[in-house]
Every structure is written in structure tokens, then in C-alpha cells.
Amino acid sequence: MFFLPTVNAYAAQDAHSPLAPFQIERRELRAQDVQLEILYSGVCHSDLHQARSEWGPSLYPLVPGHEIVGRVTAVGEGVSRFQVGDLAGVGVMIDSCQHCESCAEGLEQYCENGHTTTYNSREKDTGNLTFGGYSTSIVVTEQFVLRVPGSLALPAVAPLLCAGITMYSPLKHWKIGRGHHVAIVGLGGLGHLGIKLAVALGAEVTLFTTSQGKAADGLRLGAHHVVISNDPDAMKAVRGSFDFILSTVPTKHDLNPYLRTLKRDGQLIIVGAIDPVGVHGGLLISHRRSVAGSNIGGVAETQEMLDFCGEHGIVADIELIDMQDINVAYERMVNNDVKYRFVIDMASLK
Ligand SMILES: [Zn+2]
Ligand SMILES: [Zn+2]
């Protein structure tokens, strides 16, 4: 099957309109390009923030979606790693400068000249807007296309492309595994994958949640312990307990109660774009603790994560929706009413 360059999509036309059907153009295939038929697209919190221009001015029309799983429908003549019919994935980035120090180290997410995001960005050479996964097809340079293990349930693989790598990368960077006690703050799209990945890496895992109702789910997902983080006694009981804390909370929150639960030299790693204002310096210097941040992962590491998930049978817990349900899904996400990731079945947009 070969797609015409014009494809069906869902787009936001401005910060205040709901997403609605829209037609976009995909570029003609270049020598290094892979064309995918998009089968499933995960729904990330950042989709909603960017559709609503909550992270600085967004570029409209905006087609969100950076957790893409699909099947290769065409390849350029210079493509060597993919063939028509292969399963493939696309995550948060579709390009980077390829010559800075970060790119040379396979850390394209920290490209010093700025990586090109899958949507809400402009192609480096043409200046054309990039459009994401809420569409039926996409064209991406081979270097930013991932192999998807065929052993996993495909719809549930999609969230690995952003939520999964966002958790996997800091776990690997700080070499978290056997012998470490790690806590995950928040049980959402990121947190539930953080638990699964940290457990698979051999760590002892605690879930911090404010919701008593999520405790049983935390344990079901593999956490060894659950601590209700707005219970001062429960927090006191785990003071000085953790080597690492990964906070997945996407909104402003007080980090100090969590810092107290770190051991000496413990690290609190944030993956949400939050301002850690109000951090008490005394809590840092008294135990040589630090607060760090981490952003998705490089292409090679994303591939490593997908392969790791293939070996360990790790996928997201998802709710499959039709494209037409996206605006309702956004409202439910705002209300934390999803276990734990929406994934769009793109067959609904054909
Ligand atoms: Zn995302
Ligand atoms: Zn670069």
C-alpha cells in the first residue's frame, strides 16, 4: 500500500479549540526516509499541554502524538535497516544536528543545536511544521526510527516511546538496579512504567502516591512497597531510606518531604518540566543530596529500552480509544482518570 502525501489527522488550530479532523501533507520520500502507516499513537500529557499552548507559544495547526507504532509502507533507496512490512516506532524526536558533542555521544535529546521534535517544531532544512502521530502516516529519517519487538502487544508498546524511555533513561544513567532502593513518585503513565522497569532492573521499588486508591495497583504493577505521601507519619517512617527517587509529577509540588526520605548521597530526579522552587538547601547539604533532571533518551538508548521491554515482557497498561474520543480523553487526563495511558487506534481515522 502506498499513501498519497496528504493524510488524515487530528489537529488543534489554536490554544482554545478542541482537536478536530484536519488534512496534512507528508513530505515525499527522500533517500534516507522511512514511511510508516501509523497503527497506534499514545496520548502523552505533553500532547495536551502543547495543544493548549501551555508550554510557551505552540505552532499551529498542531498535530500531537509522539508515541507512534506502525508498519513500514515504503523506504527510500538509501535505507538499510528497514523493509516494507516491518514494525517500527517513532518517539519524541525526528531529527537533530548530528555533529555536536551530545549527538556524537548518542544523546540526541540533549543536542546542543536543539533536536527537532516530532510535532510542534519545524524541519531543519525546509522550515515546514512537523506533525505528530495523531495521523494515519508519517515520514521520518531512518536514523530516528526504532525497531519494535514483535513479541509485545502493539497498542501497549506505543507509550514506551515517550513514557517508557523517560523512565528508562535515568534508571540507566544513574545505574539503578540490584541493591538500590528506589522510589517512584506518582502513579500515572510515567510512574506505572517506572515501577515495571525498575523492578525488572532488580531494584527494590517503593511507590509514593497521594491516592490510597492506587496502593493496590502499585503493588499489582510490581512495587514492593507503597507509601501514602500526604500522610506525615508514613513519610517519617521512610526518612533516609532511598538511594534514588524519580518524580514523575508533572505539576508544581513540594520536593522537601521527598528529599528527607533520601539517604546520604541520594538523588531526586525530576522528569517533568517543573520548577523545583522552595527546595531547602539544608536538606541537600546535610546529607550531600542532590536534585537532578532527565529528559527522554537518545535513539540508541530508546532502542535498548524497547529490546529490554521485549525481553522482559514489559508494556504499558492502556485504554484503547478511537481518534474521535480524543477531547474526552484529554478531559479525563486532566482529572487523572486513566489507567494508565490512552492509546489511539488509528484504524478509527482511516
Ligand atoms: Zn511524551
Ligand atoms: Zn546535536
Side-chain angles (χ1 to χ4, degrees), residues 96-100 102-103 111-113:
S96 70
C97 85
Q98 301 296 312
H99 55 70
C100 73
S102 293
C103 285
C111 173
E112 282 134 53
N113 298 299

Side-chain angles (χ1 to χ4, degrees), residues 44-47 66-67 92 119 162-163 166 296 341:
C44 176
H45 259 276
S46 62
D47 296 351
H66 59 204
E67 295 181 338
V92 177
Y119 66 88
C162 172
T166 299
I296 50 171
R341 202 67 148 180

Side-chain angles (χ1 to χ4, degrees), residues 82-155:
F82 291 92
Q83 293 184 333
V84 171
D86 286 350
L87 292 174
V90 177
V92 177
M93 303 177 287
I94 51 157
D95 202 4
S96 70
C97 85
Q98 301 296 312
H99 55 70
C100 73
E101 207 170 301
S102 293
C103 285
E105 289 182 41
L107 299 167
E108 299 90 349
Q109 75 274 36
Y110 303 119
C111 173
E112 282 134 53
N113 298 299
H115 62 258
T116 305
T117 52
T118 304
Y119 66 88
N120 195 19
S121 185
R122 290 188 183 278
E123 290 183 353
K124 285 189 191 308
D125 42 0
T126 65
N128 290 336
L129 283 179
T130 59
F131 295 123
Y134 297 8
S135 61
T136 53
S137 137
I138 191 168
V139 175
V140 177
T141 185
E142 176 183 29
Q143 203 169 343
F144 284 80
V145 181
L146 290 312
R147 294 197 161 280
V148 169
S151 57
L152 300 173
L154 272 192

Side-chain angles (χ1 to χ4, degrees), residues 1 43 50 70 78 91 120 151 213 217 221 256 258 271 276 278 321 324:
M1 182 156 42
V43 181
Q50 292 177 80
N120 195 19
S151 57
D217 244 15
L221 291 161
N256 294 308
Y258 299 107
V271 298
I321 60 170
Q324 294 76 9

Side-chain angles (χ1 to χ4, degrees), residues 271-288:
V271 298
I274 56 159
D275 297 328
V277 283
V279 166
H280 298 328
L283 291 176
L284 301 179
I285 64 175
S286 62
H287 293 76
R288 201 162 56 188

